[in-house]
Amino acid sequence: MRKVRKAVIPAAGLGTRFLPATKALAKEMLPIVDKPTIQFIVEEARKSGIEDIVIVDGKSKRSIEDHFDSNPELEANLAAKHKDEMLRQVQETTGMNLYFIRQPYPRGLGDAVLTAKAFIGDEPFVVMLGDDMTSSEVPLTKQLIDRYEETGASTLAVMRVPHEETAKYGVINPSEETEPGLYNVTNFVEKPEPADAPSDLAIIGRYLFTPEIFEALENTPVGLGNELQLTDAIDNLNKNQRVFAHEYKGKRYDVGNKFGWIQTNIEYGLKHPETKDPLRQYIKDLGQKLAKEDEKPSKSK
Ligand code: G1P
């Protein structure tokens, strides 16, 4: 069995949910406290044993390339001022084996993954989406690699979501749980309305694929939103080759929408050494203030 060494990080979306911030800035560069979201994803890949990462980017994504490059002027300035910790943080982002491919048109997630075909070649690989940040003792990407080493099959991560939210996700129709947390799947549906959803098990942004996914992508017609949907290609792959779903039980942060991004900043802010104490105090004070405000209208009734 070939080792899983490569990751694809699609980052070519237009980031319309964060306009105007994302007019010139890649949405993957929006920070969680002080670190761009894409750096968390790259760190998860490294902790999972991934050696080579290709980022599929599009227009306005220069900032991602610059972030993972060296910055000699800044480094010299920090070194001269003996700002050692800052220098370490700045240098930490270089020296990763990162490659960049341009997706000329945003034609969907499936198309972004297909763009990486030549880079991946005939190997199993993972796809990691920047909108989902995860936190667990064993990184989710490593959990998928462990499953692959048992089964040799493509496996994607799923998580239970509230039933009314199924239209935000790809959803699986599980047939049997072959071992705890590992499902055989009858079919995969992209963004079903709750009434049509075959389950509450939603695909979250971590996938492990055998290279046969590329053939499946090439033979999949454009789907929802006139885009090539990765979920549709997975459904096709599953007709010829088993695709498993692995249920993730750790913490997930959806940083792809405004509210999720704010929540994630608060949670990480409560852990960050520079912000945790004042933020805790601020939230307590704010909570009391809001509770008082909420009491006022009921009193006047
Ligand atoms: C994409 C996929 C969807 C998946 C989701 C996970 O949707 O198309 O199947 O459930 O990521 O975050 P998007 O969030 O890009 O609309």
Side-chain angles (χ1 to χ4, degrees):
M1 185 182 295
R2 295 190 72 164
K3 196 171 170 287
V4 183
R5 303 183 307 120
K6 293 180 179 172
V8 177
I9 305 181
L14 296 175
T16 48
R17 287 176 199 155
F18 287 96
L19 281 171
T22 47
K23 190 179 165 199
L25 181 77
K27 95 174 158 180
E28 293 76 11
M29 289 302 295
L30 292 173
I32 302 302
V33 184
D34 53 10
K35 199 188 274 191
T37 53
I38 195 161
Q39 195 177 330
F40 286 93
I41 309 295
V42 168
E43 286 174 3
E44 180 184 326
R46 281 181 124 193
K47 283 186 207 144
S48 303
I50 295 295
E51 294 160 18
D52 294 331
I53 300 173
V54 65
I55 296 179
V56 181
D57 62 11
K59 222 169 162 285
S60 308
K61 303 288 175 163
R62 255 269 130 70
S63 50
I64 301 180
E65 299 184 20
D66 289 345
H67 180 70
F68 290 105
D69 197 358
S70 61
N71 184 335
E73 207 178 316
L74 175 64
E75 288 168 43
N77 185 297
L78 293 173
K81 291 180 181 153
H82 304 290
K83 296 195 168 166
D84 298 339
E85 177 53 19
M86 283 185 196
L87 182 61
R88 189 195 63 73
Q89 285 174 352
V90 165
Q91 289 176 335
E92 193 180 50
T93 55
T94 56
M96 301 189 186
N97 285 340
L98 287 187
Y99 305 84
F100 294 88
I101 309 181
R102 268 286 160 105
Q103 184 192 22
Y105 300 97
R107 287 186 177 137
L109 181 57
D111 183 65
V113 174
L114 191 52
T115 310
K117 182 181 172 186
F119 175 85
I120 298 296
D122 195 23
E123 297 186 30
F125 66 103
V126 294
V127 172
M128 307 173 75
L129 304 189
D131 285 353
D132 289 297
M133 274 173 50
T134 64
S135 166
S136 51
E137 206 176 309
V138 177
L140 177 53
T141 297
K142 178 74 173 64
Q143 294 179 24
L144 293 181
I145 294 172
D146 291 345
R147 290 292 200 192
Y148 172 77
E149 286 173 357
E150 287 165 28
T151 65
S154 294
T155 307
L156 44 91
V158 294
M159 200 170 187
R160 288 202 186 272
V161 296
H163 188 64
E164 60 278 11
E165 289 181 15
T166 55
K168 286 173 30 187
Y169 301 95
V171 175
I172 68 161
N173 184 4
S175 55
E176 54 168 335
E177 197 171 354
T178 56
E179 55 181 278
L182 192 68
Y183 297 88
N184 266 323
V185 182
T186 309
N187 61 313
F188 299 80
V189 193
E190 180 67 2
K191 305 202 169 104
E193 289 302 324
D196 305 322
S199 76
D200 295 340
L201 286 168
I203 302 171
I204 52 168
R206 299 292 182 276
Y207 311 75
L208 191 153
F209 291 120
T210 58
E212 284 77 20
I213 189 67
F214 293 118
E215 205 188 321
L217 280 163
E218 282 161 348
N219 293 319
T220 300
V222 289
L224 196 71
N226 217 14
E227 293 187 341
L228 179 53
Q229 295 294 344
L230 184 58
T231 305
D232 295 346
I234 297 169
D235 193 52
N236 280 338
L237 179 65
N238 190 41
K239 288 174 187 150
N240 303 316
Q241 199 183 77
R242 208 147 52 142
V243 179
F244 285 104
H246 164 80
E247 188 175 353
Y248 174 61
K249 301 240 169 80
K251 191 108 178 90
R252 164 179 173 259
Y253 302 94
D254 180 0
V255 295
N257 68 78
K258 292 187 190 91
F259 183 58
W261 179 76
I262 292 170
Q263 278 179 309
T264 313
N265 268 290
I266 293 174
E267 298 223 7
Y268 275 78
L270 286 169
K271 290 183 201 151
H272 192 291
E274 273 172 52
T275 53
K276 64 180 183 187
D277 294 334
L279 182 59
R280 204 181 176 82
Q281 190 57 48
Y282 172 71
I283 292 171
K284 277 188 194 163
D285 295 347
L286 187 65
Q288 282 172 2
K289 185 171 162 252
L290 294 178
K292 269 188 205 147
E293 278 177 20
D294 284 350
E295 275 168 21
K296 275 180 203 158
S298 58
K299 271 183 192 162
S300 62
K301 267 183 203 163

